[in-house]
Amino acid sequence: MQSFSSIVARTAEPRADAPEGRAALRAEVTEDWLQGKAAFGGLQGALGVLAMRAAVGDALPLRALQMTFVAAVGGESLAEASVVRRGRAVTHAQCTLSSGGQAGALMVGLFGAARDSKAIAAMPMPELRGPAELREAPFLPERMPGFLRHYRQRWAGGAIPYSGQPMKPSSMWVRLREATEGEDAGPGEAPIPPALDAPAAREANVVALCDMPPSPVMSTLTRRAPGASLTWLLEFLVDPRTVDPQAWLLLHTETRHAGEGYTSQTARVWDTAGRPVAVSHQTTAIFD
């Protein structure tokens, strides 16, 4: 079993030697990071963002990530990133994540400078109980994907998967388990692994967290059924490098439509202060 910070530390090493505008980062995806037969999609996105950040440089915040899951990723994996175009304010990068010589995920990252604007609109957080008021969801290896052992979850609303309940939005607080010491440690109360507190690692951590929630339509099923993300659009409302790795994030997820074995869902993300962090859109397949 390996920690998220150990993956980040290894993949960060080649950055200093990468040619201008290009980066190739290697990682070993072990079984404890799998979701079924493939690597947890959030980890795949995190690896791709690490590679694109190395290619793009540190100046611009990540504004959006577009991703298509092509085939299963696992074991020795390679993220190859390059800059597509550098504009005055916006830079586009692309990345291919592969394992076994086969492309497993394709990504495009949009990095953009902030500018003055009169177009301002808030995304209010729903009124729900905070993580301190909720019980921890235990990790049940016989019923849950292996990657969940690395995360802490506290459900604030909705029904759990395979409970045979009517579909409604789900709300859950999540954070990386290794970012704290002790069951009740909070932000600032436990040391952060140095590799996890680096700006690029903070960014990768938020990407992974945003892929945590299961599709709410899963709650309508009465038995376990495989599911997989096919596409993912992640829009950042703040610079993800400013998000504390120890902080809880609230993910409020709604299934917009489900039919013919596919679902369309959107998750909105806030921190404990009510600051909007991201919006996530996914197309998923359910094999029920």
Side-chain angles (χ1 to χ4, degrees):
M1 188 169 73
Q2 62 176 334
S3 65
F4 187 84
S5 58
S6 68
I7 295 173
V8 170
R10 278 202 300 274
T11 56
E13 289 174 1
R15 294 181 186 183
D17 301 327
E20 179 66 25
R22 301 184 68 87
L25 308 180
R26 297 183 181 274
E28 175 70 21
V29 178
T30 51
E31 289 189 3
D32 52 298
W33 280 101
L34 298 184
Q35 183 176 10
K37 298 180 179 180
F40 165 46
L43 179 64
Q44 295 186 48
L47 292 172
V49 166
L50 281 166
M52 287 188 286
R53 173 59 70 188
V56 170
D58 299 329
L60 302 176
L62 176 63
R63 301 291 177 179
L65 171 68
Q66 298 173 328
M67 189 166 178
T68 298
F69 299 94
V70 179
V73 170
E76 292 187 11
S77 303
L78 174 65
E80 297 177 286
S82 61
V83 172
V84 178
R85 182 179 183 273
R86 293 186 191 270
R88 288 183 296 177
V90 174
T91 292
H92 286 82
Q94 62 185 4
C95 178
T96 299
L97 178 63
S98 59
S99 60
Q102 181 181 23
L106 307 177
M107 299 171 232
V108 173
L110 187 153
F111 300 77
R115 57 169 66 93
D116 292 333
S117 175
K118 295 181 180 179
I120 299 175
M123 188 177 78
M125 185 170 71
E127 295 184 6
L128 297 165
R129 289 184 294 171
E133 305 174 66
L134 300 167
R135 296 179 60 184
E136 191 92 4
F139 173 65
L140 305 173
E142 69 280 2
R143 297 179 59 185
M144 296 179 174
F147 79 90
L148 285 177
R149 74 182 71 242
H150 295 284
Y151 293 96
R152 301 175 67 180
Q153 306 174 74
R154 296 186 179 181
W155 284 77
I160 63 174
Y162 318 122
S163 59
Q165 299 296 313
M167 187 178 67
K168 56 184 178 180
S170 67
S171 301
M172 60 190 301
W173 293 95
V174 299
R175 69 172 167 181
L176 186 64
R177 186 176 298 278
E178 70 181 276
T180 60
E181 286 185 354
E183 191 71 14
D184 298 315
E189 297 178 11
I192 304 174
L196 188 59
D197 201 29
R202 285 178 169 237
E203 184 172 68
N205 177 54
V206 176
V207 170
L209 287 173
C210 287
D211 191 39
M212 282 286 294
S215 176
V217 76
M218 291 290 202
S219 67
T220 66
L221 305 180
T222 56
R223 60 181 178 85
R224 295 182 63 185
S229 296
L230 300 177
T231 66
W232 189 16
L233 169 59
L234 186 56
E235 303 165 338
F236 287 104
L237 311 180
V238 298
D239 186 340
R241 295 173 294 183
T242 66
V243 178
D244 185 347
Q246 292 182 313
W248 290 96
L249 294 183
L250 175 67
L251 281 68
H252 182 76
T253 310
E254 299 180 67
T255 296
R256 300 191 300 263
H257 180 79
E260 299 185 350
Y262 299 89
T263 74
S264 173
Q265 68 184 51
T266 294
R268 294 175 291 161
V269 186
W270 296 265
D271 63 16
T272 51
R275 179 178 65 153
V277 173
V279 178
S280 171
H281 309 276
Q282 289 187 322
T283 301
T284 68
I286 299 178
F287 307 97
D288 61 338

